[in-house]
Amino acid sequence: MKIDLTDTNSSKINKAILSGRRSLGMPAVGMVLTLVIVTDEENAYDSLKAANEASREHPSRTLVVIKRHARSPRERLAPRLDAEVRVGSDAGAGETVVLRLHGELGARADSVVLPLLLPDAPVVVWWPVDAPEVPSKDPLGALAQRRITDAYAVEDPPAALAARAASYAPGDTDLAWTRLTPWRSMLAAALDQARTTVVSAVVESEADNPSAELLARWFVDRLNVPVEQVVTDGPVVTAVRLGTPDGEIRIDRPEGPVARLAIPGQPSRVLALKVRTTAELIAEELRRLDPDEIYAAALRAQLTPPPPTSAPSPAAPPAPSPDRSAAAS
């Protein structure tokens, strides 16, 4: 069911949600959080589709905030709120409100969103594109326990990661980090099997890939070894190589949904390692609402240039391997 409201307010939107529930005989309980998506018209459809798919695992009230600006400096849009309320099959496993804020009302989006939040439920804010420079200080971000950005969706991912590191606050996360969960899990498991010391690392990926950058910083933080980044044709991260005294631990995924793992002294094996959809990434992030300390440490780690020779110093102390708790984060 869809209910269109023009030139409305938060009170009328709440009444429309209740009316839609009653018409369909839906209970008012069962939703576990409020997901606020701040986006533009161009990206609203894909973002909402991903949120609806994720809601089957995390039933939620989804609020899509679209700020409508004037098309030219001379044009002025009168402050107005239009809304589209969706309940039932049109809203996944929860309920959805698409909010279009015209004119100066866009600067006061928090005053529109606040009365629509589920009472006594966590709030997650997701910026698919154009995240604020300091998400925790954004008026909408300040309402949330969890703030999700995506450095992959910007023109300059390295600059975006630098801004995230400078402004990090507990509750911040980025989908560039979420994309690494399968890689980190497999690497941690491989090191558990190899029982050896890592002395160097190489990350291969397409140019300026933020996930590859975060993976390299994770190695620096967890292993304290030099990391080399190699540019390939992609897509995304294509290979990781960990140098050890016994040989090279390597995961290759040049393309497709599978990768090949090689550990010294063991037969190589094929692993499932597909590029996950946005819905799968959002669903993973909604499983945890506590601060991700491993992400914070990796984000702040400083990459140093690799040493001039590939052989490590014999006197170098052994570095700890990433633990399973890091891989599961």
Side-chain angles (χ1 to χ4, degrees):
M1 172 182 286
K2 296 182 181 180
I3 304 172
D4 291 320
L5 302 172
T6 303
D7 196 7
T8 187
N9 56 47
S10 299
S11 177
K12 293 179 181 179
I13 294 172
N14 269 319
K15 291 178 180 178
I17 294 173
L18 292 174
S19 175
R21 281 184 190 158
R22 293 193 188 103
S23 297
L24 297 176
M26 293 176 57
V29 297
M31 286 175 287
V32 297
L33 57 88
T34 302
L35 174 62
V36 181
I37 305 174
V38 187
T39 185
D40 52 21
E41 290 284 2
E42 181 181 354
N43 294 280
Y45 175 82
D46 290 337
S47 303
L48 185 53
K49 181 181 178 181
N52 284 345
E53 292 178 17
S55 73
R56 304 189 188 283
E57 182 178 339
H58 310 278
S60 58
R61 173 177 288 181
T62 302
L63 306 177
V64 184
V65 178
I66 302 173
K67 301 177 182 179
R68 303 293 298 270
H69 301 289
R71 289 172 292 184
S72 67
R74 294 182 179 181
E75 182 182 7
R76 288 183 61 86
L77 295 179
R80 191 179 85 239
L81 173 62
D82 297 334
E84 182 182 309
V85 177
R86 304 179 185 181
V87 292
S89 60
D90 292 315
E95 53 196 25
T96 298
V97 182
V98 180
L99 303 165
R100 290 182 171 86
L101 285 65
H102 299 259
E104 297 178 357
L105 189 61
R108 302 192 297 274
D110 55 318
S111 64
V112 176
V113 167
L114 187 59
L116 301 176
L117 301 178
L118 289 173
D120 302 320
V123 178
V124 178
V125 177
W126 171 32
W127 293 271
V129 293
D130 299 329
E133 187 171 347
V134 185
S136 62
K137 294 185 178 180
D138 178 83
L140 288 174
L143 301 175
Q145 287 76 38
R146 193 79 162 160
R147 295 167 292 275
I148 305 173
T149 56
D150 191 356
Y152 195 76
V154 302
E155 293 184 1
D156 190 350
L161 288 181
R164 298 288 164 265
S167 65
Y168 175 82
D172 290 355
T173 192
D174 196 281
L175 294 185
W177 175 252
T178 317
R179 293 182 180 96
L180 291 176
T181 301
W183 282 93
R184 294 187 295 124
S185 298
M186 290 181 181
L187 288 165
L191 289 176
D192 281 349
Q193 296 176 45
R195 297 293 181 182
T196 187
T197 301
V198 177
V199 295
S200 65
V202 178
V203 178
E204 300 180 8
S205 74
E206 62 188 358
D208 292 333
N209 182 273
S211 295
E213 176 76 12
L214 286 171
L215 186 58
R217 296 187 188 190
W218 183 60
F219 287 143
V220 170
D221 177 66
R222 304 300 298 176
L223 299 173
N224 192 28
V225 297
V227 181
E228 180 184 359
Q229 293 178 266
V230 177
V231 175
T232 65
D233 293 334
V236 296
V237 179
T238 56
V240 172
R241 290 179 276 145
L242 301 179
T244 77
D246 303 319
E248 195 173 70
I249 299 173
R250 184 181 182 107
I251 297 180
D252 283 292
R253 186 192 63 184
E255 59 183 354
V258 298
R260 185 169 295 276
L261 169 65
I263 299 176
Q266 300 183 24
S268 63
R269 66 199 74 173
V270 175
L271 306 171
L273 191 59
K274 69 172 184 176
V275 177
R276 296 184 294 167
T277 65
T278 303
E280 292 173 308
L281 301 175
I282 290 297
E284 178 185 326
E285 283 302 329
L286 296 182
R287 291 184 199 125
R288 61 172 301 168
L289 298 175
D290 58 312
D292 190 340
E293 297 177 356
I294 305 299
Y295 164 68
L299 185 64
R300 291 168 171 164
Q302 297 295 319
L303 291 175
T304 56
T309 60
S310 58
S313 170
S321 64
D323 53 31
R324 287 191 182 274
S325 62
S329 61

